[in-house]
Amino acid sequence: MATVVFADLVGSTGIFERLGDETAGRFVTQLTTALSRSFEQHRGRVVKLLGDGLFVVFQDESDAISACVGIQKRLQETPIHPGGSGKPVQMQMGVEAGEVVEIEGDCYGDAVNSAARLADLAGADQILTTSRVRESLQPEWRSKLRSLGPMFLRGKSEQTEVYRVQWQPERDVDATMMGASMFKASPNAHLELTSSGRSLRLDPDGASLTLGRAATANLTINDSRVSRVHCTVDWKGGHFILSDQSSFGTWVYMGGGNTPLVLRRTEAYLVGSGIITLGCEREAESAPRVEFSVVA
């Protein structure tokens, strides 16, 4: 058994556009080299650098989580601004445990694929992991995990229970709100979606709803960041499930939380109420926005 970490730089495309290829390339190389040393100090082995990210393998789950949290805290306490200006560097990380096969210095296996998918799913400053990692963690780390519920990771036929590592105490309310009612079936509830004064309702066992730029979508949202069929909402197994099918992703903010769940060809349960933004985070200018509410 090994523990795999994928750590990706958030918004690297914007950094290259702002600084130019040469300057941005030099900055990213310096950053990933420094992060490599941090992972190695926690007994991780950097398998390879991935342009704007890293692929690291550990023998111990707690070492992997400790390394990820240490890097996130360091970036928060000592912000790094690319080119000396602009938004500070942010990382998104995925951690999974399982059998890993090494061939000519590279590593392969289901855990590798899952860790990469989790990193894609994570938002800025987030560390996502699974129940497999949780079961092997020391109590001090296990207590910091908050369930986001079962999800279908791209390429996997079975659901994976996903956890978020709660390394920022002030965001604990957000994490609890996202996971608190994830497993409560609501057979008598209905879902309401509202955007720009237009509303849709989905009842249990009702037909799937589509959101997107296409005129044939149930809720049409005309914005270049929105795919023609951006996402769908269905009733499955006692839950309302949002499935992203877009090019740029879907951001889901549960309740009054500030930390989104970022979907990229993956699914999430909709519970309580909140905001969905299509193709960008809600802080983006004129973000395409849909409000949702599960009404009992």
Side-chain angles (χ1 to χ4, degrees), residues 37-279:
R37 289 196 291 268
S38 294
F39 279 119
E40 289 166 353
Q41 288 170 0
H42 287 83
R43 294 182 287 278
R45 179 170 67 88
V46 178
V47 178
K48 59 182 174 181
L49 303 182
L50 305 168
D52 59 354
L54 303 93
F55 169 17
V56 191
V57 173
F58 292 80
Q59 294 305 310
D60 181 83
E61 289 84 355
S62 293
D63 283 344
I65 297 296
S66 178
C68 292
V69 169
I71 288 172
Q72 295 286 26
K73 285 184 175 180
R74 181 179 173 186
L75 291 174
Q76 182 186 64
E77 294 166 359
T78 310
I80 300 173
H81 298 269
S85 62
K87 293 180 62 175
V89 165
Q90 294 175 295
M91 302 296 295
Q92 54 192 104
M93 301 176 174
V95 186
E96 177 62 303
E99 296 298 329
V100 172
V101 177
E102 183 170 347
I103 302 175
E104 297 182 353
D106 206 346
C107 293
Y108 304 88
D110 184 61
V112 176
N113 297 331
S114 293
R117 300 292 179 259
L118 289 165
D120 286 343
L121 182 63
D125 303 327
Q126 286 187 351
I127 306 164
L128 297 186
T129 189
T130 68
S131 55
R132 185 180 297 177
V133 172
R134 181 181 182 275
E135 291 168 1
S136 301
L137 286 176
Q138 298 172 5
E140 65 173 302
W141 286 121
R142 189 180 300 179
S143 66
K144 297 183 182 296
L145 267 55
R146 301 291 182 269
S147 175
L148 301 182
M151 301 180 191
F152 285 99
L153 300 181
R154 191 175 62 211
K156 297 180 71 69
S157 58
E158 297 182 355
Q159 290 179 327
T160 300
E161 186 165 356
V162 177
Y163 291 84
R164 188 178 120 201
V165 180
Q166 181 51 42
W167 63 272
Q168 295 172 289
E170 67 274 15
R171 294 190 177 181
D172 190 60
V173 173
D174 296 353
T176 302
M177 192 169 297
M178 293 177 77
S181 55
M182 199 65 72
F183 303 109
K184 296 179 181 177
S186 306
N188 299 317
H190 69 271
L191 175 69
E192 294 180 355
L193 300 171
T194 304
S195 177
S196 301
R198 296 165 293 164
S199 296
L200 290 178
R201 171 173 171 151
L202 178 61
D203 292 302
D205 301 320
S208 174
L209 299 179
T210 60
L211 286 67
R213 201 174 70 249
T216 53
N218 296 105
L219 189 60
T220 302
I221 301 171
N222 189 15
D223 188 286
S224 61
R225 293 165 288 190
V226 179
S227 298
R228 289 183 56 78
V229 177
H230 195 97
C231 57
T232 61
V233 184
D234 300 271
W235 171 265
K236 297 178 183 177
H239 295 279
F240 294 104
I241 297 180
L242 176 70
S243 304
D244 175 75
Q245 303 176 22
S246 70
S247 300
F248 300 118
T250 302
W251 279 249
V252 183
Y253 300 82
M254 301 288 188
N258 295 317
T259 304
L261 186 63
V262 185
L263 306 180
R264 295 184 177 90
R265 304 300 173 100
T266 47
E267 300 181 340
Y269 289 67
L270 296 180
V271 295
S273 61
I275 296 170
I276 302 165
T277 56
L278 310 184

